[in-house]
Amino acid sequence: MTIERIEHRACFGGWQDVYRHRSTVLGCAMNFAVYLPPQAAEPGAKLPVLYWLSGLTCTEQNFITKAGAQRYAAEHGVVIVAPDTSPRGDDVADAEGYDLGKGAGFYVNATQEPWAAHYRMHDYVAEELPALVEANFPVTDARAISGHSMGGHGALTLALRNPGRYRSVSAFSPIVAPTQVPWGQKAFGAYLSEDREAWKQYDATELVKSAAERLPLLIDQGDDDEFLHAQLKPELFASAADAAGYPLTLRLQPGYDHSYYFIASFIGEHIAHHAAALKA
Amino acid sequence: MTIERIEHRACFGGWQDVYRHRSTVLGCAMNFAVYLPPQAAEPGAKLPVLYWLSGLTCTEQNFITKAGAQRYAAEHGVVIVAPDTSPRGDDVADAEGYDLGKGAGFYVNATQEPWAAHYRMHDYVAEELPALVEANFPVTDARAISGHSMGGHGALTLALRNPGRYRSVSAFSPIVAPTQVPWGQKAFGAYLSEDREAWKQYDATELVKSAAERLPLLIDQGDDDEFLHAQLKPELFASAADAAGYPLTLRLQPGYDHSYYFIASFIGEHIAHHAAALKA
């Protein structure tokens, strides 16, 4: 497996890079961003990694240009890896609308045509990408995961589905119950068939009921988020976590919306949350 | 003069807003961004203002989405105002290329056709915009000014041309000697005629020779900036400032390029530089 560096920019004493590689799991070329804090340049350095999953319509660029996360990653000595949100390329299936197909992989392994050939973002993020990162960068296998909106759904479900893989999890404005909201129902219906039983394996509110481990879990949600009541519904996850005895810090942030201004305002606290778990 | 709020987003405890108004000086509708830190909401608050001038191709959006400045403005209790970089609209003259016309106002008052009717960015930023801001927001008349590239040129020239108007000035990767580099020669030739004497009034390296006041002045320049040797040439300004006895802190930052990753890495130190002068 070869990777090619396509961007390399000094940032907060470290380097904000973007790499391109051929993904075996997805069957296409993929970009991913890597922030290497200044500590990565020290001889023999091995740093923990935070995986960031972005939301609908995003690429690997949105988080690295808008969240301001590099400052905090540099403070804590954490590497941040941010993949794209779906397979890409001319031979990858797509659909009309921003919420299905390219830019909308939903971090699942699709079983239905025309999606099954490439849309395997769960396995890409959970397995192929960490293997690649751990083979090519000065990192340990201490991993944390976070994300925004569709990527918050990705972070929660990947953490809940893969015990032992992550040390901590967090999310901004996550889709917590995709089987109960329009975005999730549209995507899961296409990627996973109309068999609603098959949807539950990618629904954080379902998965938390039988979670095999307890990770430090932080969710921030703006109370002026335009998608709060129709698509996000954090109360569904909070109830299920509470019933399951899964400790959750859910903060409703007054006045904040769904944008990167919200993420930027609290990403420092999320990185501190992960750094504490990664270095414990 | 009426202003209309067209964006309003919670950010670091304050508000990142964008306003639209009809500019008398420019003869067109203009957007400008205002960050109001949390201190602005306190009863009777009156805060100082940092004006940020962006570079070629930018609008009022680039700085507010990419620089991560809001965190530091919130820490220091400073309002940040970021205007667009040129007049806008269907009846405003434009040109082929990114470095003349819309997105490339160069913070001068044009005297030549077809530019003279609208391209009066010097007077807009130095006079009309502060009057508007000071009439409509909880601010004092303590002003500072900063910018990037073409906007760094704008910050330096506005500060040097308008003694008494600003308390401090700084720049990232500024065009310091527009009369001696291709970007400036093309723009000044169009906006100001081919009379090179007329160019000197907007050239920081010329203006510093006869500066009427000494402001705290900080310049950061990446040493891996792709425009450093052909367009920026900070050594020309440093020599002129030194000869004139104008104190200058010029920092060559190793490895950094011309991008917002560079600005984000040092904007906190620039805001601290301005806050110290604004509150002195």
Side-chain angles (χ1 to χ4, degrees), chain A residues 3-10 15-21 30-36 59-65 70 80-84 137, chain B residues 261:
Chain A
I3 64 174
E4 177 195 5
R5 192 172 71 191
I6 58 175
E7 292 186 25
H8 183 54
R9 297 172 185 277
W15 293 95
Q16 181 58 65
D17 294 340
V18 177
Y19 286 84
R20 190 164 178 82
H21 76 117
M30 291 291 287
N31 292 351
F32 63 95
V34 179
Y35 179 68
L36 295 169
T59 70
E60 83 288 349
Q61 289 289 322
N62 302 66
F63 181 73
I64 65 176
T65 56
Q70 295 93 349
I80 303 182
V81 173
D84 202 346
F137 297 93
Chain B
Y261 294 111

Coordinates of all heavy atoms in Angstrom, one line a residue, chain A residues 3-10 15-21 30-36 59-65 70 80-84 137, chain B residues 261:
Chain A
I3 N 1.1 5.5 -0.2 CA 0.4 6.7 0.0 C 1.2 7.9 -0.6 O 2.4 7.9 -0.5 CB 0.0 7.0 1.5 CG1 1.3 7.2 2.3 CG2 -0.8 5.8 2.0 CD1 1.0 7.5 3.8
E4 N 0.5 8.9 -1.1 CA 1.1 10.0 -1.7 C 0.7 11.3 -1.0 O -0.5 11.5 -0.8 CB 0.7 10.1 -3.2 CG 1.2 11.3 -3.9 CD 0.5 11.6 -5.2 OE1 -0.5 10.9 -5.5 OE2 0.9 12.5 -5.9
R5 N 1.7 12.1 -0.6 CA 1.4 13.3 0.1 C 1.0 14.4 -0.9 O 1.9 14.7 -1.8 CB 2.5 13.8 1.0 CG 2.2 14.9 1.9 CD 3.3 15.2 2.9 NE 4.4 15.9 2.3 CZ 5.6 16.1 2.8 NH1 5.8 15.6 4.1 NH2 6.5 16.7 2.2
I6 N -0.2 15.0 -0.8 CA -0.6 16.0 -1.8 C -0.7 17.4 -1.3 O -0.9 18.3 -2.0 CB -1.9 15.5 -2.5 CG1 -3.1 15.3 -1.5 CG2 -1.7 14.3 -3.3 CD1 -4.4 15.0 -2.2
E7 N -0.7 17.5 0.1 CA -0.7 18.8 0.7 C 0.3 18.8 1.9 O 0.3 17.7 2.6 CB -2.1 19.3 1.1 CG -3.0 19.6 0.0 CD -4.3 20.2 0.5 OE1 -4.3 20.8 1.6 OE2 -5.3 20.1 -0.2
H8 N 1.0 19.8 2.2 CA 1.9 19.9 3.2 C 2.1 21.3 3.7 O 2.7 22.1 3.0 CB 3.3 19.3 2.7 CG 4.4 19.2 3.8 ND1 4.2 18.5 4.9 CD2 5.6 19.7 3.7 CE1 5.3 18.5 5.6 NE2 6.2 19.2 4.9
R9 N 1.5 21.7 4.8 CA 1.4 23.1 5.2 C 1.8 23.2 6.7 O 1.1 22.5 7.6 CB 0.0 23.6 5.0 CG -0.4 23.7 3.5 CD -1.8 24.0 3.4 NE -2.2 24.0 2.0 CZ -2.1 24.9 1.1 NH1 -1.4 26.0 1.4 NH2 -2.5 24.8 -0.1
A10 N 2.7 24.0 7.0 CA 3.1 24.3 8.4 C 1.9 24.9 9.1 O 1.2 25.7 8.6 CB 4.3 25.3 8.5
W15 N 2.5 20.0 11.1 CA 2.2 20.0 9.7 C 0.8 19.5 9.4 O 0.4 18.4 9.9 CB 3.2 19.1 9.0 CG 4.5 19.6 9.0 CD1 5.5 19.4 9.9 CD2 5.1 20.6 8.1 NE1 6.6 20.1 9.7 CE2 6.4 20.9 8.5 CE3 4.6 21.3 7.0 CZ2 7.2 21.8 7.9 CZ3 5.4 22.2 6.4 CH2 6.7 22.5 6.8
Q16 N 0.0 20.3 8.7 CA -1.3 19.8 8.2 C -1.1 19.3 6.8 O -0.9 20.0 5.8 CB -2.3 21.0 8.2 CG -3.7 20.6 7.7 CD -4.3 19.5 8.6 OE1 -4.5 19.7 9.8 NE2 -4.4 18.3 8.0
D17 N -1.2 17.9 6.7 CA -0.9 17.3 5.5 C -2.2 16.6 4.9 O -3.1 16.4 5.7 CB 0.1 16.1 5.7 CG 1.5 16.7 6.0 OD1 1.8 17.9 5.7 OD2 2.3 15.9 6.5
V18 N -2.2 16.4 3.6 CA -3.3 15.6 3.0 C -2.6 14.5 2.2 O -1.6 14.8 1.4 CB -4.2 16.4 2.2 CG1 -5.3 15.5 1.5 CG2 -4.9 17.5 3.0
Y19 N -3.1 13.3 2.3 CA -2.5 12.1 1.6 C -3.6 11.5 0.7 O -4.8 11.7 0.9 CB -2.0 11.1 2.6 CG -0.7 11.4 3.2 CD1 -0.7 12.2 4.4 CD2 0.5 11.0 2.7 CE1 0.5 12.6 5.0 CE2 1.7 11.4 3.3 CZ 1.7 12.1 4.4 OH 2.9 12.5 5.0
R20 N -3.1 10.8 -0.4 CA -4.0 10.2 -1.3 C -3.5 8.7 -1.4 O -2.3 8.5 -1.5 CB -3.9 10.8 -2.7 CG -5.0 10.4 -3.6 CD -5.1 11.4 -4.8 NE -6.0 10.9 -5.8 CZ -7.4 11.1 -5.7 NH1 -7.9 11.7 -4.6 NH2 -8.2 10.7 -6.6
H21 N -4.4 7.8 -1.4 CA -4.0 6.4 -1.5 C -5.2 5.6 -2.2 O -6.3 6.1 -2.4 CB -3.8 5.8 -0.1 CG -5.0 5.5 0.6 ND1 -5.4 4.2 1.0 CD2 -6.0 6.3 1.1 CE1 -6.5 4.3 1.7 NE2 -6.9 5.5 1.7
M30 N -8.6 7.6 -2.5 CA -9.2 8.4 -1.4 C -8.2 9.3 -0.8 O -7.0 9.0 -0.7 CB -9.6 7.4 -0.2 CG -10.8 6.5 -0.5 SD -12.4 7.5 -0.7 CE -12.7 7.9 1.0
N31 N -8.7 10.5 -0.4 CA -7.8 11.5 0.3 C -8.1 11.4 1.8 O -9.3 11.1 2.2 CB -8.2 12.9 -0.1 CG -7.8 13.2 -1.5 OD1 -7.1 12.5 -2.2 ND2 -8.2 14.4 -2.0
F32 N -7.1 11.6 2.6 CA -7.3 11.8 4.0 C -6.4 12.8 4.5 O -5.2 12.9 4.0 CB -7.3 10.5 4.8 CG -5.9 9.8 4.8 CD1 -5.0 10.0 5.8 CD2 -5.6 8.9 3.8 CE1 -3.8 9.3 5.8 CE2 -4.4 8.3 3.8 CZ -3.5 8.5 4.8
A33 N -6.8 13.6 5.5 CA -6.0 14.6 6.1 C -5.3 14.1 7.4 O -5.9 13.3 8.1 CB -6.8 15.8 6.5
V34 N -4.1 14.5 7.6 CA -3.3 14.1 8.8 C -2.7 15.4 9.4 O -2.0 16.1 8.7 CB -2.2 13.1 8.6 CG1 -1.4 12.8 9.8 CG2 -2.7 11.9 7.9
Y35 N -3.1 15.7 10.7 CA -2.3 16.8 11.4 C -1.3 16.1 12.3 O -1.6 15.3 13.1 CB -3.2 17.7 12.2 CG -2.4 18.7 12.9 CD1 -1.8 19.7 12.2 CD2 -2.2 18.7 14.3 CE1 -1.0 20.7 12.8 CE2 -1.4 19.6 14.9 CZ -0.8 20.6 14.1 OH 0.0 21.5 14.8
L36 N 0.0 16.5 12.0 CA 1.1 16.0 12.8 C 1.5 17.2 13.7 O 2.1 18.2 13.2 CB 2.2 15.6 11.9 CG 1.9 14.3 11.1 CD1 3.0 14.1 10.0 CD2 1.8 13.1 11.9
T59 N -15.7 16.9 2.5 CA -14.6 16.1 2.1 C -13.6 16.1 3.3 O -13.9 16.6 4.4 CB -13.9 16.7 0.9 OG1 -13.2 17.9 1.3 CG2 -14.8 16.9 -0.2
E60 N -12.4 15.7 3.1 CA -11.3 15.8 4.1 C -10.9 17.2 4.4 O -10.3 17.5 5.4 CB -10.1 15.0 3.7 CG -9.1 15.7 2.8 CD -9.6 15.9 1.4 OE1 -10.6 15.3 1.0 OE2 -8.9 16.6 0.7
Q61 N -11.4 18.2 3.6 CA -11.0 19.6 3.8 C -11.7 20.4 4.8 O -11.1 21.2 5.5 CB -11.1 20.3 2.4 CG -10.1 19.8 1.4 CD -8.7 20.3 1.7 OE1 -8.5 21.4 2.2 NE2 -7.7 19.4 1.4
N62 N -13.0 20.1 5.0 CA -13.8 21.0 5.8 C -13.3 21.1 7.2 O -13.1 22.3 7.8 CB -15.3 20.5 5.9 CG -15.9 20.4 4.5 OD1 -15.5 19.6 3.7 ND2 -16.9 21.2 4.2
F63 N -13.0 20.0 7.9 CA -12.5 20.1 9.3 C -11.2 20.8 9.4 O -11.0 21.6 10.3 CB -12.5 18.7 9.8 CG -12.0 18.6 11.3 CD1 -12.9 19.0 12.3 CD2 -10.7 18.1 11.6 CE1 -12.5 18.9 13.6 CE2 -10.3 18.1 12.9 CZ -11.2 18.5 13.9
I64 N -10.3 20.5 8.5 CA -8.9 21.0 8.6 C -8.8 22.5 8.3 O -8.0 23.2 8.8 CB -7.9 20.2 7.8 CG1 -8.1 20.3 6.3 CG2 -7.9 18.8 8.3 CD1 -7.0 19.6 5.5
T65 N -9.8 23.0 7.5 CA -9.8 24.5 7.2 C -10.6 25.3 8.2 O -10.4 26.5 8.3 CB -10.2 24.8 5.8 OG1 -11.5 24.2 5.6 CG2 -9.3 24.2 4.8
Q70 N -6.1 22.3 15.1 CA -4.7 22.1 15.2 C -4.0 22.7 16.4 O -3.1 22.1 17.0 CB -4.0 22.6 13.9 CG -4.4 21.9 12.6 CD -5.6 22.6 11.9 OE1 -6.3 23.5 12.5 NE2 -5.9 22.2 10.7
I80 N -4.3 14.1 14.4 CA -5.7 14.0 14.0 C -5.8 13.5 12.5 O -5.1 14.1 11.7 CB -6.4 15.4 14.1 CG1 -6.3 15.9 15.5 CG2 -7.9 15.3 13.6 CD1 -7.1 17.3 15.7
V81 N -6.5 12.5 12.3 CA -6.8 11.9 11.0 C -8.2 12.2 10.6 O -9.1 11.8 11.3 CB -6.4 10.4 10.9 CG1 -6.8 9.8 9.6 CG2 -5.0 10.2 11.2
A82 N -8.4 12.8 9.4 CA -9.8 13.1 8.9 C -10.0 12.6 7.5 O -9.4 13.1 6.6 CB -10.0 14.7 8.9
P83 N -10.7 11.5 7.4 CA -11.0 10.9 6.1 C -12.1 11.7 5.3 O -12.7 12.6 5.9 CB -11.4 9.5 6.4 CG -12.1 9.6 7.7 CD -11.3 10.7 8.5
D84 N -12.2 11.4 4.1 CA -13.4 11.8 3.3 C -14.6 11.1 3.8 O -14.6 10.2 4.6 CB -13.1 11.5 1.8 CG -13.9 12.4 0.9 OD1 -14.8 13.0 1.3 OD2 -13.5 12.4 -0.3
F137 N 2.9 6.4 10.0 CA 3.1 7.7 10.7 C 3.6 7.3 12.1 O 3.4 6.2 12.6 CB 1.8 8.5 10.8 CG 1.3 8.9 9.5 CD1 0.4 8.2 8.7 CD2 1.8 10.1 8.9 CE1 0.0 8.6 7.5 CE2 1.4 10.5 7.6 CZ 0.5 9.7 6.9
Chain B
Y261 N -3.5 28.5 7.0 CA -2.9 27.7 8.1 C -1.8 28.6 8.8 O -1.6 28.4 10.0 CB -2.3 26.4 7.6 CG -3.3 25.5 7.0 CD1 -3.4 25.2 5.7 CD2 -4.2 24.9 7.9 CE1 -4.4 24.3 5.2 CE2 -5.2 24.0 7.4 CZ -5.3 23.7 6.1 OH -6.2 22.9 5.6

